[in-house]
Amino acid sequence: MPYSAAKLSQSSQCLPTEPMQNTALVAEGGGQRGIFTAGVLDSWLHSGFNPFDLLIGTSAGAQNLSTYMTCQKGFGRHSITSFSKDPKFFKLSRTLIGKHAVDLDWYFKQVDQAENKLNIACGEERLIRRQLLFSATKADDRSATFFEPTKDNWLTVLKASSALPILYKKGVKIDDHYYVDGGLSAPIPVEEAYQRGAKRIVVIRTIPKDANVQSPWAHKLKSLLCNANRCPKVLDLITHHENAYQQTLNFIAQPPDDVEIVQIYPQQALASGLVGSSDQSLNDDYHLGFSAGLSFLKHYQGL
């Protein structure tokens, strides 16, 4: 099965539109590998399933949770297969002239276009009895920060959660600080969910359960930038990220006695990568996610 569930009590079932107390959903990032998460969540939207009262996402995971809460099935898939594959989105050579290699300004402009607009009003309505958080990393001290989106800041904090360090220059300025990708300090914010009272946590991963702590996110950054005389800074970022990642994996492997953690993950490495994935890879990984989501529902609901 593409998930692990040592125990998830049948008493936790409820009407799909009603949030369950102390039940959280956590979504990992991963760039275009987020297509797997998009598939999982689309299968749940198709089935009318959303029992979570707390949802926390990082980077691409935050983007996918946005569309899950706005009930826009297919929006996340379209954003990845269309916007993130457009040449305007990613071009490493732009760093040589002082511009963003990853143009999140252009990307979120597309998200906010009338024909592709994220239905934030719907999201706000569905958040009346739920809490949605996006993780970001404060650039000056690398501390994890969790933003709660509103109609006024939704796309700004979503951009902050997705701003890969260096590839999006300084990051996103919010108030008096700059913020970069949440994956740097909170790659899978399970501990944050627990600290906020969650006793049942479902985690959607974009890499296999037993993958090496040397995550593809960090090493893609290394391969892109170490030839640009930035290696010391990049390696420092990787060390910080991997320490945070290992801490999270340790927590998942040995959680406190009063919490149950269920993981949904690809059984093997996805064909998609951080960027530059083929149409076929994205399509295949989306359907893997959709199937994993349905498999989870079958187990979870005892069908």
Side-chain angles (χ1 to χ4, degrees), residues 158-223:
L158 195 55
K159 185 190 295 186
S161 181
S162 307
L164 283 168
I166 303 178
L167 297 181
Y168 188 76
K169 295 175 69 176
K170 292 182 178 180
V172 176
K173 189 174 183 181
I174 300 176
D175 297 326
D176 296 325
H177 298 280
Y178 283 93
Y179 295 88
V180 295
D181 195 294
L184 182 61
S185 296
I188 315 173
V190 179
E191 291 170 277
E192 184 68 21
Y194 176 69
Q195 290 168 7
R196 289 175 181 263
K199 301 303 181 184
R200 291 176 296 270
I201 305 174
V202 177
V203 185
I204 305 177
R205 306 280 303 277
T206 54
I207 61 176
K209 176 186 175 185
D210 298 320
N212 193 296
V213 70
Q214 295 181 338
S215 75
W217 174 91
H219 286 270
K220 183 66 173 180
L221 193 66
K222 178 181 177 181
S223 68

Short mmCIF file of all heavy atoms in Angstrom, two decimals, residues 158-223:
data_model
loop_
_atom_site.label_atom_id
_atom_site.label_comp_id
_atom_site.label_asym_id
_atom_site.label_seq_id
_atom_site.Cartn_x
_atom_site.Cartn_y
_atom_site.Cartn_z
N LEU A 158 1.87 32.57 0.49
CA LEU A 158 2.08 31.37 -0.32
C LEU A 158 3.38 31.50 -1.11
O LEU A 158 4.15 30.53 -1.23
CB LEU A 158 0.90 31.18 -1.26
CG LEU A 158 0.74 29.81 -1.95
CD1 LEU A 158 0.70 28.69 -0.93
CD2 LEU A 158 -0.53 29.80 -2.80
N LYS A 159 3.64 32.69 -1.60
CA LYS A 159 4.89 32.94 -2.33
C LYS A 159 6.08 32.80 -1.38
O LYS A 159 7.11 32.21 -1.74
CB LYS A 159 4.88 34.33 -2.95
CG LYS A 159 6.10 34.62 -3.81
CD LYS A 159 6.17 36.10 -4.21
CE LYS A 159 5.04 36.50 -5.08
NZ LYS A 159 5.20 37.92 -5.57
N ALA A 160 5.95 33.31 -0.17
CA ALA A 160 7.04 33.20 0.81
C ALA A 160 7.34 31.74 1.10
O ALA A 160 8.51 31.34 1.19
CB ALA A 160 6.67 33.94 2.09
N SER A 161 6.32 30.92 1.24
CA SER A 161 6.52 29.50 1.52
C SER A 161 7.22 28.79 0.38
O SER A 161 7.87 27.77 0.59
CB SER A 161 5.17 28.83 1.78
OG SER A 161 5.32 27.46 2.08
N SER A 162 7.13 29.35 -0.83
CA SER A 162 7.64 28.69 -2.03
C SER A 162 8.94 29.28 -2.57
O SER A 162 9.45 28.82 -3.59
CB SER A 162 6.57 28.79 -3.14
OG SER A 162 5.32 28.32 -2.71
N ALA A 163 9.48 30.29 -1.89
CA ALA A 163 10.62 31.04 -2.41
C ALA A 163 11.94 30.32 -2.13
O ALA A 163 12.57 30.53 -1.09
CB ALA A 163 10.64 32.44 -1.81
N LEU A 164 12.37 29.47 -3.06
CA LEU A 164 13.63 28.75 -2.89
C LEU A 164 14.78 29.73 -2.65
O LEU A 164 14.95 30.68 -3.41
CB LEU A 164 13.92 27.91 -4.13
CG LEU A 164 13.13 26.61 -4.26
CD1 LEU A 164 13.31 26.02 -5.65
CD2 LEU A 164 13.59 25.60 -3.21
N PRO A 165 15.56 29.54 -1.59
CA PRO A 165 16.66 30.46 -1.30
C PRO A 165 17.63 30.54 -2.47
O PRO A 165 17.89 29.56 -3.15
CB PRO A 165 17.30 29.85 -0.05
CG PRO A 165 16.85 28.44 0.00
CD PRO A 165 15.50 28.41 -0.64
N ILE A 166 18.13 31.73 -2.69
CA ILE A 166 19.07 32.06 -3.77
C ILE A 166 18.37 32.09 -5.13
O ILE A 166 18.54 33.05 -5.89
CB ILE A 166 20.29 31.10 -3.82
CG1 ILE A 166 21.03 31.11 -2.47
CG2 ILE A 166 21.24 31.48 -4.95
CD1 ILE A 166 22.21 30.16 -2.42
N LEU A 167 17.59 31.07 -5.43
CA LEU A 167 16.90 31.05 -6.73
C LEU A 167 15.83 32.13 -6.81
O LEU A 167 15.47 32.56 -7.90
CB LEU A 167 16.29 29.67 -6.99
CG LEU A 167 17.27 28.51 -7.10
CD1 LEU A 167 16.54 27.21 -7.38
CD2 LEU A 167 18.32 28.77 -8.18
N TYR A 168 15.31 32.54 -5.66
CA TYR A 168 14.42 33.70 -5.62
C TYR A 168 15.07 34.79 -4.76
O TYR A 168 14.55 35.22 -3.76
CB TYR A 168 13.03 33.33 -5.09
CG TYR A 168 12.03 34.47 -5.21
CD1 TYR A 168 11.46 34.79 -6.44
CD2 TYR A 168 11.68 35.24 -4.11
CE1 TYR A 168 10.57 35.83 -6.57
CE2 TYR A 168 10.78 36.29 -4.22
CZ TYR A 168 10.23 36.59 -5.45
OH TYR A 168 9.35 37.63 -5.58
N LYS A 169 16.27 35.12 -5.13
CA LYS A 169 17.06 36.19 -4.52
C LYS A 169 16.92 36.24 -3.00
O LYS A 169 17.15 35.27 -2.31
CB LYS A 169 16.72 37.52 -5.19
CG LYS A 169 17.12 37.55 -6.67
CD LYS A 169 16.68 38.80 -7.38
CE LYS A 169 17.42 40.02 -6.91
NZ LYS A 169 17.06 41.24 -7.66
N LYS A 170 16.52 37.39 -2.45
CA LYS A 170 16.47 37.55 -1.00
C LYS A 170 15.29 36.84 -0.36
O LYS A 170 15.30 36.56 0.82
CB LYS A 170 16.38 39.04 -0.64
CG LYS A 170 17.63 39.84 -0.96
CD LYS A 170 17.44 41.28 -0.52
CE LYS A 170 18.68 42.12 -0.79
NZ LYS A 170 18.48 43.53 -0.36
N GLY A 171 14.26 36.56 -1.13
CA GLY A 171 13.04 36.01 -0.59
C GLY A 171 11.90 37.01 -0.69
O GLY A 171 11.97 37.98 -1.45
N VAL A 172 10.86 36.79 0.07
CA VAL A 172 9.66 37.63 0.04
C VAL A 172 9.62 38.48 1.31
O VAL A 172 9.70 37.95 2.42
CB VAL A 172 8.39 36.76 -0.07
CG1 VAL A 172 7.14 37.62 -0.01
CG2 VAL A 172 8.42 35.94 -1.36
N LYS A 173 9.48 39.78 1.14
CA LYS A 173 9.44 40.67 2.29
C LYS A 173 8.03 40.76 2.84
O LYS A 173 7.08 41.08 2.13
CB LYS A 173 9.94 42.07 1.92
CG LYS A 173 10.14 42.97 3.13
CD LYS A 173 10.76 44.30 2.75
CE LYS A 173 11.02 45.15 4.00
NZ LYS A 173 11.62 46.47 3.65
N ILE A 174 7.90 40.45 4.14
CA ILE A 174 6.64 40.58 4.86
C ILE A 174 6.93 41.37 6.12
O ILE A 174 7.76 40.97 6.94
CB ILE A 174 6.03 39.21 5.20
CG1 ILE A 174 5.76 38.41 3.91
CG2 ILE A 174 4.77 39.36 6.02
CD1 ILE A 174 5.26 37.01 4.16
N ASP A 175 6.27 42.51 6.24
CA ASP A 175 6.59 43.46 7.32
C ASP A 175 8.07 43.85 7.22
O ASP A 175 8.49 44.34 6.19
CB ASP A 175 6.23 42.87 8.68
CG ASP A 175 4.73 42.61 8.82
OD1 ASP A 175 3.95 43.39 8.25
OD2 ASP A 175 4.34 41.62 9.47
N ASP A 176 8.86 43.56 8.24
CA ASP A 176 10.26 44.01 8.22
C ASP A 176 11.25 42.88 7.97
O ASP A 176 12.46 43.05 8.16
CB ASP A 176 10.61 44.69 9.55
CG ASP A 176 9.81 45.97 9.77
OD1 ASP A 176 9.53 46.66 8.78
OD2 ASP A 176 9.45 46.25 10.93
N HIS A 177 10.76 41.71 7.55
CA HIS A 177 11.64 40.56 7.38
C HIS A 177 11.45 39.92 6.00
O HIS A 177 10.40 40.06 5.37
CB HIS A 177 11.37 39.51 8.46
CG HIS A 177 11.62 39.99 9.85
ND1 HIS A 177 12.88 40.05 10.41
CD2 HIS A 177 10.76 40.46 10.81
CE1 HIS A 177 12.80 40.51 11.64
NE2 HIS A 177 11.53 40.77 11.91
N TYR A 178 12.51 39.23 5.57
CA TYR A 178 12.43 38.45 4.35
C TYR A 178 12.25 36.98 4.72
O TYR A 178 12.83 36.48 5.69
CB TYR A 178 13.71 38.61 3.53
CG TYR A 178 13.79 39.91 2.79
CD1 TYR A 178 14.43 41.03 3.34
CD2 TYR A 178 13.23 40.05 1.51
CE1 TYR A 178 14.50 42.23 2.67
CE2 TYR A 178 13.29 41.25 0.82
CZ TYR A 178 13.92 42.34 1.41
OH TYR A 178 13.98 43.53 0.74
N TYR A 179 11.45 36.29 3.89
CA TYR A 179 11.16 34.87 4.12
C TYR A 179 11.43 34.07 2.87
O TYR A 179 11.20 34.55 1.74
CB TYR A 179 9.70 34.70 4.55
CG TYR A 179 9.38 35.32 5.88
CD1 TYR A 179 8.98 36.65 5.95
CD2 TYR A 179 9.50 34.59 7.06
CE1 TYR A 179 8.71 37.25 7.17
CE2 TYR A 179 9.22 35.19 8.29
CZ TYR A 179 8.83 36.51 8.34
OH TYR A 179 8.57 37.11 9.55
N VAL A 180 11.94 32.86 3.09
CA VAL A 180 12.20 31.95 1.97
C VAL A 180 11.47 30.63 2.22
O VAL A 180 10.76 30.47 3.21
CB VAL A 180 13.72 31.70 1.79
CG1 VAL A 180 14.43 32.98 1.39
CG2 VAL A 180 14.34 31.11 3.06
N ASP A 181 11.68 29.70 1.31
CA ASP A 181 10.97 28.42 1.28
C ASP A 181 10.88 27.76 2.66
O ASP A 181 11.87 27.61 3.37
CB ASP A 181 11.71 27.49 0.32
CG ASP A 181 10.89 26.29 -0.08
OD1 ASP A 181 10.61 25.45 0.80
OD2 ASP A 181 10.54 26.17 -1.26
N GLY A 182 9.66 27.35 3.01
CA GLY A 182 9.46 26.69 4.29
C GLY A 182 10.20 25.38 4.42
O GLY A 182 10.48 24.92 5.54
N GLY A 183 10.54 24.76 3.28
CA GLY A 183 11.24 23.49 3.31
C GLY A 183 12.63 23.58 3.90
O GLY A 183 13.21 22.56 4.29
N LEU A 184 13.18 24.78 4.00
CA LEU A 184 14.51 24.94 4.57
C LEU A 184 14.52 24.58 6.05
O LEU A 184 15.45 23.92 6.53
CB LEU A 184 14.99 26.38 4.36
CG LEU A 184 16.40 26.72 4.86
CD1 LEU A 184 17.45 25.88 4.14
CD2 LEU A 184 16.69 28.21 4.67
N SER A 185 13.50 24.99 6.79
CA SER A 185 13.47 24.77 8.24
C SER A 185 12.31 23.91 8.72
O SER A 185 12.36 23.38 9.82
CB SER A 185 13.43 26.12 8.97
OG SER A 185 14.61 26.87 8.73
N ALA A 186 11.26 23.80 7.91
CA ALA A 186 10.10 22.98 8.29
C ALA A 186 9.67 22.17 7.08
O ALA A 186 8.59 22.39 6.53
CB ALA A 186 8.96 23.86 8.79
N PRO A 187 10.51 21.22 6.64
CA PRO A 187 10.22 20.48 5.41
C PRO A 187 8.94 19.64 5.47
O PRO A 187 8.23 19.52 4.47
CB PRO A 187 11.45 19.59 5.23
CG PRO A 187 12.09 19.50 6.58
CD PRO A 187 11.79 20.80 7.25
N ILE A 188 8.66 19.07 6.63
CA ILE A 188 7.42 18.31 6.84
C ILE A 188 6.91 18.71 8.23
O ILE A 188 7.29 18.08 9.23
CB ILE A 188 7.64 16.78 6.79
CG1 ILE A 188 8.53 16.39 5.62
CG2 ILE A 188 6.31 16.04 6.70
CD1 ILE A 188 8.94 14.91 5.61
N PRO A 189 6.09 19.72 8.33
CA PRO A 189 5.78 20.31 9.65
C PRO A 189 4.85 19.48 10.52
O PRO A 189 3.81 19.94 10.99
CB PRO A 189 5.18 21.67 9.28
CG PRO A 189 4.71 21.54 7.89
CD PRO A 189 5.57 20.53 7.22
N VAL A 190 5.23 18.24 10.78
CA VAL A 190 4.45 17.34 11.62
C VAL A 190 4.53 17.77 13.09
O VAL A 190 3.51 17.77 13.80
CB VAL A 190 4.95 15.89 11.47
CG1 VAL A 190 4.15 14.95 12.36
CG2 VAL A 190 4.84 15.44 10.02
N GLU A 191 5.72 18.14 13.53
CA GLU A 191 5.87 18.56 14.93
C GLU A 191 5.04 19.80 15.24
O GLU A 191 4.48 19.93 16.33
CB GLU A 191 7.34 18.81 15.24
CG GLU A 191 8.19 17.55 15.25
CD GLU A 191 9.67 17.85 15.32
OE1 GLU A 191 10.27 18.11 14.25
OE2 GLU A 191 10.22 17.80 16.43
N GLU A 192 4.95 20.70 14.27
CA GLU A 192 4.13 21.90 14.47
C GLU A 192 2.67 21.52 14.65
O GLU A 192 1.97 22.08 15.50
CB GLU A 192 4.29 22.86 13.29
CG GLU A 192 3.55 24.18 13.44
CD GLU A 192 4.11 25.08 14.53
OE1 GLU A 192 5.28 24.90 14.91
OE2 GLU A 192 3.37 25.97 15.01
N ALA A 193 2.21 20.56 13.84
CA ALA A 193 0.82 20.09 13.98
C ALA A 193 0.59 19.51 15.36
O ALA A 193 -0.44 19.77 16.01
CB ALA A 193 0.51 19.07 12.89
N TYR A 194 1.54 18.72 15.83
CA TYR A 194 1.41 18.12 17.16
C TYR A 194 1.41 19.19 18.25
O TYR A 194 0.59 19.14 19.19
CB TYR A 194 2.55 17.13 17.39
CG TYR A 194 2.56 16.52 18.77
CD1 TYR A 194 1.57 15.63 19.16
CD2 TYR A 194 3.57 16.86 19.69
CE1 TYR A 194 1.57 15.07 20.44
CE2 TYR A 194 3.57 16.30 20.96
CZ TYR A 194 2.57 15.41 21.33
OH TYR A 194 2.58 14.87 22.59
N GLN A 195 2.30 20.17 18.13
CA GLN A 195 2.37 21.23 19.13
C GLN A 195 1.10 22.07 19.17
O GLN A 195 0.79 22.69 20.19
CB GLN A 195 3.59 22.11 18.86
CG GLN A 195 4.92 21.40 19.13
CD GLN A 195 6.13 22.16 18.60
OE1 GLN A 195 6.00 23.29 18.12
NE2 GLN A 195 7.29 21.54 18.68
N ARG A 196 0.36 22.06 18.06
CA ARG A 196 -0.90 22.80 18.01
C ARG A 196 -2.09 21.93 18.40
O ARG A 196 -3.24 22.32 18.20
CB ARG A 196 -1.09 23.41 16.62
CG ARG A 196 -0.14 24.57 16.34
CD ARG A 196 -0.27 25.08 14.91
NE ARG A 196 0.66 26.16 14.65
CZ ARG A 196 0.38 27.47 14.72
NH1 ARG A 196 -0.86 27.84 15.02
NH2 ARG A 196 1.29 28.38 14.45
N GLY A 197 -1.82 20.76 18.95
CA GLY A 197 -2.87 19.95 19.53
C GLY A 197 -3.35 18.77 18.71
O GLY A 197 -4.26 18.04 19.15
N ALA A 198 -2.76 18.54 17.53
CA ALA A 198 -3.22 17.43 16.70
C ALA A 198 -2.88 16.09 17.33
O ALA A 198 -1.75 15.87 17.78
CB ALA A 198 -2.59 17.53 15.31
N LYS A 199 -3.84 15.19 17.36
CA LYS A 199 -3.63 13.84 17.89
C LYS A 199 -3.69 12.79 16.78
O LYS A 199 -3.28 11.65 16.99
CB LYS A 199 -4.69 13.52 18.95
CG LYS A 199 -4.68 14.49 20.13
CD LYS A 199 -3.31 14.56 20.81
CE LYS A 199 -3.33 15.52 21.99
NZ LYS A 199 -1.98 15.66 22.60
N ARG A 200 -4.24 13.14 15.63
CA ARG A 200 -4.22 12.30 14.43
C ARG A 200 -3.66 13.16 13.31
O ARG A 200 -4.22 14.21 12.99
CB ARG A 200 -5.62 11.80 14.09
CG ARG A 200 -6.21 10.81 15.05
CD ARG A 200 -7.65 10.44 14.67
NE ARG A 200 -8.51 11.62 14.75
CZ ARG A 200 -9.17 11.97 15.85
NH1 ARG A 200 -9.05 11.26 16.96
NH2 ARG A 200 -9.93 13.04 15.85
N ILE A 201 -2.58 12.73 12.70
CA ILE A 201 -1.91 13.52 11.67
C ILE A 201 -1.72 12.66 10.43
O ILE A 201 -1.12 11.59 10.48
CB ILE A 201 -0.55 14.04 12.15
CG1 ILE A 201 -0.69 14.83 13.46
CG2 ILE A 201 0.10 14.91 11.08
CD1 ILE A 201 0.64 15.26 14.08
N VAL A 202 -2.25 13.14 9.32
CA VAL A 202 -2.03 12.50 8.02
C VAL A 202 -0.97 13.33 7.28
O VAL A 202 -1.08 14.56 7.18
CB VAL A 202 -3.32 12.44 7.19
CG1 VAL A 202 -3.06 11.83 5.82
CG2 VAL A 202 -4.39 11.63 7.93
N VAL A 203 0.06 12.66 6.79
CA VAL A 203 1.17 13.34 6.12
C VAL A 203 1.25 12.88 4.67
O VAL A 203 1.31 11.67 4.40
CB VAL A 203 2.52 13.03 6.81
CG1 VAL A 203 3.64 13.84 6.16
CG2 VAL A 203 2.44 13.31 8.30
N ILE A 204 1.22 13.82 3.74
CA ILE A 204 1.42 13.49 2.33
C ILE A 204 2.85 13.82 1.97
O ILE A 204 3.28 14.98 2.02
CB ILE A 204 0.45 14.26 1.41
CG1 ILE A 204 -1.01 14.03 1.84
CG2 ILE A 204 0.64 13.83 -0.04
CD1 ILE A 204 -2.02 14.81 1.02
N ARG A 205 3.60 12.78 1.60
CA ARG A 205 5.01 12.93 1.23
C ARG A 205 5.16 12.95 -0.29
O ARG A 205 4.31 12.43 -1.02
CB ARG A 205 5.82 11.75 1.79
CG ARG A 205 5.68 11.52 3.30
CD ARG A 205 6.54 12.47 4.09
NE ARG A 205 7.94 12.36 3.71
CZ ARG A 205 8.77 11.43 4.19
NH1 ARG A 205 8.33 10.53 5.07
NH2 ARG A 205 10.05 11.39 3.83
N THR A 206 6.26 13.50 -0.76
CA THR A 206 6.53 13.49 -2.20
C THR A 206 7.79 12.69 -2.53
O THR A 206 8.21 12.64 -3.68
CB THR A 206 6.69 14.92 -2.76
OG1 THR A 206 7.69 15.62 -2.00
CG2 THR A 206 5.38 15.68 -2.66
N ILE A 207 8.37 12.06 -1.51
CA ILE A 207 9.46 11.12 -1.74
C ILE A 207 9.14 9.86 -0.95
O ILE A 207 8.34 9.91 -0.01
CB ILE A 207 10.84 11.70 -1.34
CG1 ILE A 207 10.88 12.05 0.15
CG2 ILE A 207 11.20 12.90 -2.19
CD1 ILE A 207 12.23 12.53 0.62
N PRO A 208 9.71 8.73 -1.31
CA PRO A 208 9.38 7.49 -0.62
C PRO A 208 9.64 7.56 0.88
O PRO A 208 10.48 8.33 1.35
CB PRO A 208 10.28 6.45 -1.30
CG PRO A 208 10.54 7.01 -2.66
CD PRO A 208 10.61 8.50 -2.46
N LYS A 209 8.96 6.72 1.61
CA LYS A 209 9.01 6.74 3.06
C LYS A 209 10.43 6.61 3.59
O LYS A 209 10.83 7.30 4.53
CB LYS A 209 8.14 5.60 3.60
CG LYS A 209 8.18 5.44 5.11
CD LYS A 209 7.40 4.21 5.53
CE LYS A 209 7.53 3.97 7.03
NZ LYS A 209 6.87 2.70 7.43
N ASP A 210 11.21 5.70 3.02
CA ASP A 210 12.54 5.40 3.56
C ASP A 210 13.66 6.06 2.76
O ASP A 210 14.80 5.60 2.78
CB ASP A 210 12.75 3.88 3.58
CG ASP A 210 11.75 3.19 4.50
OD1 ASP A 210 11.47 3.74 5.59
OD2 ASP A 210 11.25 2.11 4.13
N ALA A 211 13.34 7.15 2.07
CA ALA A 211 14.35 7.83 1.28
C ALA A 211 15.44 8.42 2.18
O ALA A 211 15.20 8.75 3.35
CB ALA A 211 13.72 8.95 0.45
N ASN A 212 16.63 8.55 1.62
CA ASN A 212 17.76 9.11 2.36
C ASN A 212 17.45 10.54 2.79
O ASN A 212 16.77 11.28 2.08
CB ASN A 212 19.01 9.08 1.46
CG ASN A 212 20.28 9.34 2.24
OD1 ASN A 212 20.48 10.41 2.79
ND2 ASN A 212 21.15 8.34 2.27
N VAL A 213 17.95 10.93 3.94
CA VAL A 213 17.72 12.29 4.43
C VAL A 213 18.30 13.34 3.49
O VAL A 213 17.93 14.50 3.53
CB VAL A 213 18.31 12.46 5.85
CG1 VAL A 213 19.82 12.46 5.81
CG2 VAL A 213 17.80 13.73 6.50
N GLN A 214 19.22 12.95 2.63
CA GLN A 214 19.76 13.88 1.63
C GLN A 214 18.69 14.08 0.56
O GLN A 214 18.68 13.41 -0.46
CB GLN A 214 21.05 13.34 1.03
CG GLN A 214 22.18 13.22 2.03
CD GLN A 214 23.45 12.70 1.41
OE1 GLN A 214 23.43 12.06 0.37
NE2 GLN A 214 24.57 12.96 2.05
N SER A 215 17.79 15.00 0.83
CA SER A 215 16.60 15.13 0.01
C SER A 215 16.92 15.70 -1.37
O SER A 215 17.87 16.47 -1.55
CB SER A 215 15.59 16.05 0.70
OG SER A 215 16.00 17.39 0.61
N PRO A 216 16.11 15.35 -2.36
CA PRO A 216 16.31 15.86 -3.72
C PRO A 216 16.26 17.38 -3.80
O PRO A 216 16.95 17.98 -4.62
CB PRO A 216 15.14 15.22 -4.50
CG PRO A 216 14.80 14.00 -3.72
CD PRO A 216 15.03 14.37 -2.28
N TRP A 217 15.44 18.01 -2.93
CA TRP A 217 15.33 19.48 -2.94
C TRP A 217 16.70 20.12 -2.75
O TRP A 217 17.13 20.96 -3.52
CB TRP A 217 14.38 19.91 -1.81
CG TRP A 217 14.28 21.40 -1.62
CD1 TRP A 217 13.39 22.24 -2.21
CD2 TRP A 217 15.09 22.22 -0.76
NE1 TRP A 217 13.60 23.53 -1.78
CE2 TRP A 217 14.64 23.55 -0.90
CE3 TRP A 217 16.17 21.96 0.08
CZ2 TRP A 217 15.21 24.60 -0.19
CZ3 TRP A 217 16.73 23.01 0.78
CH2 TRP A 217 16.25 24.32 0.63
N ALA A 218 17.40 19.70 -1.70
CA ALA A 218 18.67 20.32 -1.37
C ALA A 218 19.74 20.02 -2.41
O ALA A 218 20.52 20.90 -2.78
CB ALA A 218 19.12 19.85 0.01
N HIS A 219 19.77 18.81 -2.88
CA HIS A 219 20.85 18.45 -3.80
C HIS A 219 20.61 18.95 -5.22
O HIS A 219 21.54 19.13 -5.99
CB HIS A 219 21.09 16.94 -3.74
CG HIS A 219 21.80 16.56 -2.47
ND1 HIS A 219 23.17 16.52 -2.37
CD2 HIS A 219 21.32 16.31 -1.23
CE1 HIS A 219 23.51 16.21 -1.12
NE2 HIS A 219 22.41 16.08 -0.43
N LYS A 220 19.36 19.23 -5.55
CA LYS A 220 19.09 19.92 -6.81
C LYS A 220 19.63 21.34 -6.73
O LYS A 220 20.26 21.83 -7.67
CB LYS A 220 17.58 19.95 -7.09
CG LYS A 220 17.22 20.61 -8.42
CD LYS A 220 17.73 19.80 -9.60
CE LYS A 220 17.23 20.36 -10.91
NZ LYS A 220 17.72 19.59 -12.08
N LEU A 221 19.44 21.97 -5.58
CA LEU A 221 19.98 23.31 -5.37
C LEU A 221 21.50 23.29 -5.49
O LEU A 221 22.11 24.17 -6.12
CB LEU A 221 19.56 23.83 -3.99
CG LEU A 221 19.76 25.32 -3.71
CD1 LEU A 221 18.88 26.15 -4.59
CD2 LEU A 221 19.46 25.60 -2.24
N LYS A 222 22.12 22.27 -4.92
CA LYS A 222 23.58 22.15 -5.00
C LYS A 222 24.04 21.98 -6.43
O LYS A 222 24.99 22.63 -6.88
CB LYS A 222 24.03 20.97 -4.14
CG LYS A 222 25.54 20.72 -4.19
CD LYS A 222 25.91 19.52 -3.34
CE LYS A 222 27.40 19.20 -3.43
NZ LYS A 222 27.76 18.02 -2.63
N SER A 223 23.38 21.10 -7.18
CA SER A 223 23.80 20.85 -8.56
C SER A 223 23.63 22.08 -9.44
O SER A 223 24.39 22.30 -10.38
CB SER A 223 23.01 19.67 -9.14
OG SER A 223 21.64 20.01 -9.32
#
